[in-house]
Amino acid sequence: MFQIFPTQASALASQVDLLYSFLVIVSVVMTLLIFAAVAFFAVRYRRRSESERPLLIDGSVRLEVAWSVIPFLVMLVMFGWGTYLFFKIYAPPGDALDIYVVGKQWMWKLQYPEGQREINELHVPVGQMVRLTMASEDVIHSFFVPAFRIKRDVVPGHYNTVSFQATKPGRYHLFCAEYCGTQHSGMIGWVTVMPVREYKDWLTLGGSDSMAQQGEKLFHQYGCSSCHLLDSPGRCPNLRNLFGHKVQLDDGRTIIADEAYIRESIINPNAKITYAFKRDVMPTFEGQISEEAILQLIVYIKSLAPTPAPAVSPEGRTQ
């Protein structure tokens, strides 16, 4: 069966399609009006003889205002509508299900807080808001699921988030929509949407440590526990109750300890120094630890903060 749009399988898919249809209709109507006006004026005001002189036509203030204000109002509708959908997609509620994605030439590597790990496969429950926190190991990729109407660039050295709520059980295509090398066309996968009970049963099949447990092992393996003491003062800041809370820096600024801040503190520890602590105490781990491992460490640090973490903005900043 011929379809103009892909299957609608997320809560916002119909709204995205409606906005897209509105943009197309406005574009077509405006194009037809412009071409019709050009044709009409070309005929109506054509020069009929060599001796003919055109009449002087005074301007119309009302006409000038109308063709300036009406398109402006139409553009405002587009802007407001698009902004509403943007924040619905990129700023999910704080109770969303977190899944972590790493793009790498040429595959998608996914980790679940419970410990499951997959390549080019994503499993999610139906009816549950899901937030993907994404990073890249090499070049820019783009996470694209047409049925969900989500597409989000995955940029090296930066966390990007996107959210969706699947509404129909089934399997849906996953693509990389940004050219990322010679095997870009093979960077594809599947998203499997499952009933909630089946999803919970599927989670129990992993049998491995949770991401927090894996992160705790890395925390000790890399020697973090020797300076970041959890129950007493140490050479470096205490990480208990850190995530989602304010951190005062030595330059007087106050920031929120979110995923981006923790990642930067691991890769470039001198970028932001906590108040009352010294520079050059913590070594950099750039090039020594993978993006997957960094995400595991972040989940472990998040587990040390029992209070609910605030929602994350489209740019990775906490709201």
Side-chain angles (χ1 to χ4, degrees):
M1 180 179 177
F2 176 75
Q3 286 183 291
I4 297 178
F5 295 107
T7 301
Q8 296 177 351
S10 72
L12 290 177
S14 60
Q15 298 183 46
V16 173
D17 288 351
L18 192 59
L19 173 58
Y20 182 80
S21 299
F22 175 74
L23 297 175
V24 172
I25 291 171
V26 170
S27 299
V28 170
V29 170
M30 292 302 297
T31 300
L32 292 177
L33 286 175
I34 291 170
F35 274 84
V38 169
F40 172 77
F41 289 118
V43 174
R44 174 67 178 79
Y45 297 103
R46 72 186 186 280
R47 189 178 185 184
R48 293 173 175 80
S49 67
E50 291 293 333
S51 61
E52 183 181 10
R53 295 291 182 268
L55 297 175
L56 180 63
I57 301 176
D58 293 329
S60 171
V61 175
R62 291 183 178 180
L63 184 60
E64 293 280 355
V65 171
W67 70 37
S68 298
V69 172
I70 293 175
F72 174 71
L73 294 177
V74 173
M75 295 302 110
L76 281 183
V77 171
M78 296 178 180
F79 175 80
W81 196 347
T83 301
Y84 168 78
L85 291 179
F86 179 87
F87 283 103
K88 280 286 187 178
I89 294 173
Y90 297 116
D95 59 351
L97 173 64
D98 282 308
I99 299 176
Y100 300 89
V101 182
V102 175
K104 181 179 181 180
Q105 293 174 317
W106 288 273
M107 67 181 72
W108 297 107
K109 305 171 77 173
L110 299 105
Q111 300 183 85
Y112 300 78
E114 294 78 7
Q116 284 77 0
R117 304 174 73 176
E118 298 187 285
I119 294 178
N120 295 333
E121 289 278 350
L122 170 62
H123 288 74
V124 296
V126 68
Q128 170 71 50
M129 182 63 73
V130 176
R131 173 176 50 222
L132 303 180
T133 300
M134 302 182 290
S136 172
E137 286 275 11
D138 36 48
V139 299
I140 298 177
H141 301 282
S142 188
F143 192 92
F144 178 40
V145 184
F148 297 163
R149 307 300 192 269
I150 59 169
K151 176 183 175 294
R152 185 66 159 158
D153 285 350
V154 185
V155 183
H158 185 79
Y159 285 144
N160 296 81
T161 62
V162 70
S163 64
F164 61 89
Q165 182 180 357
T167 56
K168 294 181 180 179
R171 280 171 63 81
Y172 305 98
H173 285 289
L174 162 63
F175 299 100
C176 176
E178 180 76 26
Y179 181 74
C180 56
T182 55
Q183 298 182 42
H184 161 70
S185 61
M187 193 170 173
I188 57 178
W190 293 93
V191 180
T192 302
V193 181
M194 313 170 71
V196 175
R197 183 176 296 276
E198 292 184 17
Y199 178 75
K200 291 181 178 180
D201 292 340
W202 176 81
L203 287 177
T204 63
L205 301 177
S208 60
D209 293 337
S210 68
M211 283 187 69
Q213 291 171 327
Q214 296 171 32
E216 183 178 13
K217 292 179 180 179
L218 293 171
F219 189 77
H220 294 288
Q221 176 185 330
Y222 283 97
C224 309
S225 56
S226 61
C227 296
H228 291 282
L229 305 181
L230 300 181
D231 299 308
S232 61
R235 299 176 65 199
C236 296
N238 190 322
L239 302 182
R240 195 178 295 281
N241 296 324
L242 172 69
F243 187 84
H245 293 82
K246 293 181 179 179
V247 175
Q248 185 177 357
L249 304 180
D250 64 350
D251 59 6
R253 290 182 296 157
T254 299
I255 62 172
I256 297 295
D258 57 9
E259 289 95 341
Y261 169 76
I262 296 174
R263 183 189 184 279
E264 184 182 49
S265 298
I266 295 172
I267 300 299
N268 184 13
N270 287 322
K272 295 181 177 69
I273 303 298
T274 304
Y275 177 75
F277 289 89
K278 298 180 179 180
R279 290 181 175 271
D280 301 318
V281 174
M282 178 175 169
T284 177
F285 288 91
E286 185 173 8
Q288 303 178 47
I289 186 169
S290 68
E291 290 290 347
E292 294 172 85
I294 293 175
L295 287 170
Q296 291 167 6
L297 283 168
I298 289 174
V299 173
Y300 169 61
I301 294 172
K302 290 173 71 172
S303 72
L304 300 175
T307 55
V312 177
S313 73
E315 297 304 322
R317 298 298 175 188
T318 308
Q319 298 292 306

